[in-house]
Amino acid sequence: MTESSANKLLNGDACHRTSNGRKSSKNGFVKNHCLFQQPQKYRSPREKNQNVTHNSSLYKKPFLESFEETPLLVAVLTYMGYGILTIFGYLRDFLRNWNIEKCHVAQEREEQKDFVPLYQDFENFYTRNLYMRIRDNWNRPICSVPGAKMDLVERVSHDYNWTFEHTGKVVKSVINMGSYNYLGFAENTGACADAAIEYTQKYGVGVGSTRCEMGNLDIHEELEQLVARFLGVESSMAFGMGFATNSMNIPALTGKGCLILSDELNHASLVLGARLSGSTIRVYKHNNMQSLEKLLRDAIVHGQPRTHRPWKKILIVVEGIYSMEGSIVRLPEVIALKKRYKAYLYLDEAHSIGALGPNGRGVVDYFGLDPKDVDIMMGTFTKSFGAAGGYIGGKKELIDYLRRHSHSALYATSISPPVAQQIITSMKIIMGEDGTTLGADRLRQLSENTTYFRRKLRDMGFIIYGNDDSPVVPMMLYMPAKIGAFGREMLKRNIGTVVVGFPATPIIESRARFCVSAAHTREMLDTV
């Protein structure tokens, strides 16, 4: 893809190319770039707000996020806990090596010892000795709709979580605080379920072809037109898998000679897409606009390594809501920097679409910004819409290009018709086009539940991360022993939640993650 065509596809008009010149009109330097501090509510001395300084003139309402530093004593005890686990892990490996303790881990057969090993022994150390101790907290089989409450299949392990057996019993009415069911559309009754059943009878379940062959149905065209109207963009394209929407489309947009500036906490799909593109990748501190601006300046001043030629394209990649931190991207500032330095912006709204904004249209709606200021708008249907797949929205030139060059469009099977209808019906409810106020009611209920749940946790003395308006609520556990204990004790009380530890989080920042839903009642939240 040539430089001019790539820029034209993203901007849809003039070909903007970064320059090494020192004139402000060329390289994007700004004389008055000083960021000043927005008034913040009182925080305890150990509590920190990441990049407290920012341009408050870009925000129409207070933007409050809290990330309390790990107390020193807790950090020391956490490191000691992992140290003890590591020591005992090496001891158990020694016993396994002498066949004193049975080893369940995957390993090569004796006749394959002269081949290159398939399994690196040290890389599996954490899995063998730490993860297996608390493995029962994950992959629990569900046997009902994952709504506000769910049913779990009971299972037991007789070999310390290496294998599980089903008891034949079902744990009923477990409060679901783990699913991304933000608006409560994961249900088997109601308008969405009825529409999905109707279209299953009309089209069947599978398509059996790609969009560019025999898998382009009229319902797919209707879906994409609706998504474009919902987002406020010229055109959109739907894909059958959210992960592939990122990993397979970013390589079609950037390549060698391009620069990707990625937030350090971006999702694995964004990281994979960036790596597959062959572009140069530079990572900036999470939600830190000073760090991002420094990288932008350096990129323009120095250009590409060795040759110092201008970058063909600079792409800033961010998420709307970061699912492990509960934080919201500082989109007004990102857009300001993007315009100042003539870069492009890729916004992943997997968690924010449907969950933020007065109209449920994501982080752009939340900040009251113009969708045209975001070059590539990406999102998924797997969360707020209770379905599957993802989308990309933007200018018509961009979408037409992706239809011809995206691997996800050319080689992946089309979205299942009942899934497409689930998305259409739920989206129309959110937009109020179903003739009811159900969508507005659910948006309001989600906002109220989020505020209430976060306030109650703070009042109880728990340390929680993220933005006050984020329905993703991480509660800090810190110590490794608490990860398994918390998940098991919550299940004993018929509460299902997600616990997360290293390496998914920093080693001293293990946490439990709650996902608030509009389907949760005040009684359920009080029980939790």
Side-chain angles (χ1 to χ4, degrees):
M1 183 169 56
T2 64
E3 174 190 346
S4 59
S5 63
N7 286 324
K8 190 172 182 179
L9 287 167
L10 287 173
N11 254 4
D13 44 17
C15 170
H16 295 294
R17 176 175 177 175
T18 56
S19 173
N20 289 334
R22 294 193 174 272
K23 294 183 180 179
S24 60
S25 60
K26 295 288 185 180
N27 62 16
F29 277 13
V30 177
K31 296 180 180 178
N32 297 322
H33 60 273
C34 179
L35 305 179
F36 56 92
Q37 185 171 0
Q38 176 185 3
Q40 300 288 319
K41 66 180 183 181
Y42 173 75
R43 303 287 187 192
S44 62
R46 284 185 299 212
E47 190 169 354
K48 63 177 180 179
N49 279 23
Q50 287 195 348
N51 18 284
V52 181
T53 59
H54 60 274
N55 193 343
S56 60
S57 63
L58 298 174
Y59 294 83
K60 299 180 180 178
K61 59 180 180 179
F63 186 82
L64 303 176
E65 288 188 348
S66 61
F67 299 91
E68 183 170 335
E69 291 181 348
T70 305
L72 180 60
L73 177 60
V74 174
V76 171
L77 293 176
T78 301
Y79 280 120
M80 289 178 59
Y82 276 104
I84 293 171
L85 286 171
T86 302
I87 292 172
F88 275 91
Y90 279 114
L91 176 61
R92 297 183 69 183
D93 279 355
F94 174 79
L95 297 177
R96 293 186 187 112
N97 187 52
W98 289 93
N99 295 321
I100 299 175
E101 180 177 333
K102 185 177 181 181
C103 182
H104 299 273
V105 72
Q107 55 187 336
E108 287 83 8
R109 297 193 298 268
E110 184 66 23
E111 57 268 25
Q112 292 177 315
K113 64 180 181 180
D114 294 330
F115 290 87
V116 177
L118 295 175
Y119 307 100
Q120 296 296 326
D121 185 66
F122 182 76
E123 291 178 2
N124 290 325
F125 178 85
Y126 184 87
T127 302
R128 291 194 306 272
N129 299 297
L130 282 78
Y131 169 72
M132 281 299 171
R133 293 174 178 268
I134 54 177
R135 183 173 170 235
D136 56 304
N137 284 282
W138 295 283
N139 306 317
R140 291 169 177 155
I142 298 173
C143 56
S144 70
V145 175
K149 289 188 176 183
M150 59 186 176
D151 299 336
L152 299 180
V153 176
E154 187 180 72
R155 61 180 184 175
V156 295
S157 176
H158 302 292
D159 54 3
Y160 302 101
N161 296 335
W162 286 96
T163 60
F164 293 97
E165 294 178 3
H166 293 164
T167 64
K169 299 179 181 178
V170 175
V171 183
K172 295 282 189 179
S173 300
V174 177
I175 299 176
N176 184 3
M177 296 299 296
S179 296
Y180 306 128
N181 184 28
Y182 297 129
L183 293 180
F185 284 116
E187 52 194 359
N188 57 1
T189 58
C192 292
D194 294 341
I197 293 172
E198 177 186 348
Y199 275 74
T200 300
Q201 295 172 342
K202 180 179 179 180
Y203 290 98
V205 175
V207 177
S209 182
T210 63
R211 291 287 300 276
C212 60
E213 294 174 342
M214 300 298 294
N216 189 30
L217 306 180
D218 56 346
I219 193 173
H220 296 138
E221 300 281 350
E222 179 186 356
L223 170 61
E224 291 175 345
Q225 293 172 8
L226 181 64
V227 170
R229 189 155 49 86
F230 180 66
L231 298 175
V233 296
E234 293 180 7
S235 184
S236 74
M237 187 174 183
F239 304 89
M241 182 181 179
F243 191 98
T245 305
N246 279 330
S247 61
M248 294 291 100
N249 283 295
I250 292 178
L253 297 171
T254 64
K256 188 176 180 180
C258 297
L259 175 64
I260 294 178
L261 301 180
S262 177
D263 189 290
E264 65 178 348
L265 297 183
N266 274 343
H267 190 263
S269 59
L270 294 170
V271 175
L272 178 60
R275 290 176 177 174
L276 291 175
S277 71
S279 305
T280 300
I281 306 170
R282 291 175 184 166
V283 179
Y284 66 92
K285 295 178 182 178
H286 174 56
N287 242 356
N288 191 310
M289 296 302 105
Q290 290 77 22
S291 176
L292 175 58
E293 185 168 17
K294 183 179 185 302
L295 289 179
L296 284 167
R297 286 188 172 189
D298 290 345
I300 291 174
V301 171
H302 301 294
Q304 299 184 41
R306 293 197 300 268
T307 64
H308 299 291
R309 292 178 179 175
W311 294 101
K312 294 179 180 178
K313 186 162 52 264
I314 299 177
L315 181 66
I316 303 170
V317 180
V318 298
E319 291 187 48
I321 292 179
Y322 292 86
S323 58
M324 281 298 169
E325 304 297 317
S327 54
I328 298 176
V329 64
R330 298 181 181 275
L331 192 59
E333 296 176 71
V334 174
I335 289 178
L337 290 176
K338 165 237 171 185
K339 291 180 176 179
R340 185 181 303 166
Y341 294 98
K342 302 296 187 291
Y344 301 104
L345 178 58
Y346 187 108
L347 174 62
D348 178 349
E349 292 218 72
H351 287 269
S352 54
I353 192 69
L356 283 182
N359 303 300
R361 298 181 181 181
V363 69
V364 176
D365 185 32
Y366 175 77
F367 287 112
L369 303 173
D370 187 351
K372 295 179 182 178
D373 288 335
V374 180
D375 301 292
I376 305 108
M377 298 185 70
M378 178 272 172
T380 63
F381 303 121
T382 54
K383 301 168 179 68
S384 294
F385 304 97
Y391 67 82
I392 283 185
K395 290 185 176 294
K396 187 177 184 302
E397 293 89 345
L398 168 68
I399 303 304
D400 290 344
Y401 175 84
L402 289 178
R403 293 188 193 280
R404 300 190 303 270
H405 294 84
S406 169
H407 285 78
S408 190
L410 295 174
Y411 301 111
T413 304
S414 306
I415 295 180
S416 173
V419 173
Q421 186 55 42
Q422 163 78 18
I423 301 167
I424 291 173
T425 306
S426 58
M427 191 172 290
K428 286 184 176 180
I429 291 175
I430 296 172
M431 298 170 70
E433 295 185 1
D434 63 330
T436 69
T437 60
L438 180 60
D441 293 341
R442 294 197 183 198
L443 291 169
R444 184 179 64 255
Q445 188 63 49
L446 175 61
S447 178
E448 292 176 358
N449 285 352
T450 298
T451 302
Y452 178 79
F453 189 66
R454 282 182 168 272
R455 187 180 71 248
K456 293 292 286 186
L457 286 179
R458 283 201 183 96
D459 292 344
M460 295 172 68
F462 291 107
I463 299 173
I464 60 174
Y465 274 10
N467 192 284
D468 289 353
D469 295 325
S470 171
V472 178
V473 186
M475 188 185 77
M476 306 311 294
L477 300 176
Y478 298 114
M479 300 180 190
K482 288 185 179 180
I483 301 174
F486 184 84
R488 294 176 190 131
E489 289 301 318
M490 292 293 280
L491 186 58
K492 287 181 183 178
R493 293 159 174 77
N494 266 30
I495 300 169
T497 188
V498 175
V499 287
V500 190
F502 179 81
T505 67
I507 194 168
I508 59 172
E509 292 186 4
S510 299
R511 66 198 64 181
R513 185 184 64 181
F514 301 100
C515 292
V516 181
S517 170
H520 289 139
T521 63
R522 191 61 58 90
E523 182 183 1
M524 293 179 189
L525 297 179
D526 287 337
T527 301
V528 176

